């Protein structure tokens, strides 16, 4: 069985800011080294540069705009996240939805700069649409399960299966992640057995008393 990507989104949880972000990154790096499984984290913009400089794990932005550098106040350009040390970015997260045109320009800009595009979607139909834009990853997350503590792998495995089929029908090279409520190695294994290349998750790690314990469990079936 091929090894999954585990991508931890720190969102804007206070348990994932500043020193807490460093604690989670330390745990992620330790578990990645122990297991040989890639564990990436997506910290807040404020923490992106220090985390990318201090750790060897892949670091992702939580959102990026497709705009060119210049007179665009408040925009986050791909150049800026690349200089800060990012390996890629989430795009169109359920908590940061974009227009189709915005998604396309963010993907193009990331790929121009050789960074990884992870486009989030909410069902199999939008997953197929996202795949047509040829990002490296499509991450299917049913919004009603996000942050719920109920795992998509157990509550709605069909949406994972349908999304994998939808994405690969459009473009077999696009990899698929899934997320929402992922909290254990069992959730990750189910997701991978259904054809995904890994998981995108947040609260189970970020809000844990001991994030390293959850991370060790997440990788335990591989
Ligand atoms: O970006 C991952 C996220 O939306 C899933 O959140 O807390 O359900 O793992 P959570």
């Amino acid at each position: 069985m091929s090894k999954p990507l585990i991508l931890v989104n720190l969102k804007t949880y206070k348990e994932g800011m500043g020193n807490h972000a460093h604690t989670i990154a330390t745990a992620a790096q330790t578990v990645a080294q122990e297991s040989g499984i890639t564990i990436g984290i997506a910290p807040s913009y404020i923490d992106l540069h220090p985390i990318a400089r201090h750790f060897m794990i892949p670091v992702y932005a939580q959102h990026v705009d497709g705009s060119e550098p210049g007179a665009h106040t408040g925009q986050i350009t791909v150049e800026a996240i690349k200089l800060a040390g990012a390996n890629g970015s989430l795009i169109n997260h359920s908590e940061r939805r974009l227009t189709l045109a915005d998604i396309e320009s963010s993907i193009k800009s990331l790929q121009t700069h050789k960074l990884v595009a992870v486009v989030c979607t909410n069902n199999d139909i939008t997953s197929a649409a996202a795949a047509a834009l040829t990002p490296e990853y499509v991450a299917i997350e049913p919004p009603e399960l996000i942050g719920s503590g109920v795992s998509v792998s157990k509550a709605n495995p069909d949406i994972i299966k349908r999304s994998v089929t939808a994405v690969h029908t459009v473009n077999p090279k696009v990899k698929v992640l899934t997320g929402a409520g992922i909290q254990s190695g069992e959730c990750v294994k189910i997701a991978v057995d259904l054809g995904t290349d890994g998981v995108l998750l947040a609260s189970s790690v970020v809000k844990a008393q001991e994030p390293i314990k959850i991370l060790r469990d997440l990788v335990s079936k591989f």
Side-chain angles (χ1 to χ4, degrees):
M1 196 185 315
S2 61
K3 295 199 172 193
L5 168 66
I6 311 274
L7 183 46
V8 184
N9 178 4
L10 305 191
K11 302 197 176 183
T12 53
Y13 285 123
K14 62 181 187 324
E15 298 90 339
M17 295 284 156
N19 285 345
H20 298 299
H22 282 255
T23 303
I24 293 168
T26 303
Q29 183 158 293
T30 302
V31 175
Q33 282 166 348
E34 287 170 1
S35 63
I37 290 178
T38 304
I39 303 177
I41 71 167
S44 76
Y45 292 121
I46 309 300
D47 294 315
L48 199 153
H49 183 258
I51 296 284
R53 294 299 166 212
H54 285 105
F55 297 93
M56 291 178 307
I57 54 173
V59 175
Y60 289 76
Q62 295 178 7
H63 160 82
V64 73
D65 296 300
S67 31
E68 292 297 314
H72 306 291
T73 304
Q75 298 275 305
I76 302 291
T77 63
V78 169
E79 282 82 353
I81 65 162
K82 187 170 184 176
L83 283 170
N87 293 69
S89 183
L90 304 181
I91 299 170
N92 194 46
H93 190 278
S94 184
E95 293 146 9
R96 191 70 156 87
R97 286 290 189 231
L98 300 174
T99 67
L100 197 55
D102 289 337
I103 296 168
E104 189 202 14
S105 69
S106 295
I107 295 171
K108 274 197 178 143
S109 187
L110 283 163
Q111 292 177 340
T112 301
H113 293 88
K114 307 212 180 314
L115 297 189
V116 176
V118 182
V119 179
C120 300
T121 57
N122 59 326
N123 60 36
D124 49 322
I125 296 166
T126 55
S127 296
L133 302 172
T134 64
E136 281 68 29
Y137 290 93
V138 169
I140 160 70
E141 300 194 305
E144 68 279 9
L145 296 178
I146 291 177
S148 68
V150 177
S151 165
V152 61
S153 295
K154 294 184 182 173
N156 198 351
D158 268 4
I159 201 171
I160 303 176
K161 219 184 298 174
R162 288 200 309 273
S163 300
V164 169
T165 304
V167 167
H168 289 162
T169 301
V170 173
N171 187 337
K173 288 191 182 150
V174 176
K175 295 180 182 165
V176 182
L177 303 179
T178 192
I182 299 289
Q183 53 199 276
S184 67
E186 199 190 347
C187 301
V188 181
K189 178 148 185 339
I190 293 169
V192 170
D193 287 347
L194 291 171
T196 71
D197 299 279
V199 294
L200 175 60
L201 71 150
S203 48
S204 66
V205 169
V206 181
K207 300 182 107 180
Q209 289 290 328
E210 292 182 74
I212 197 161
K213 279 196 181 161
I214 307 295
L215 288 163
R216 284 198 174 114
D217 188 8
L218 289 167
V219 302
S220 61
K221 308 281 186 208
F222 297 87

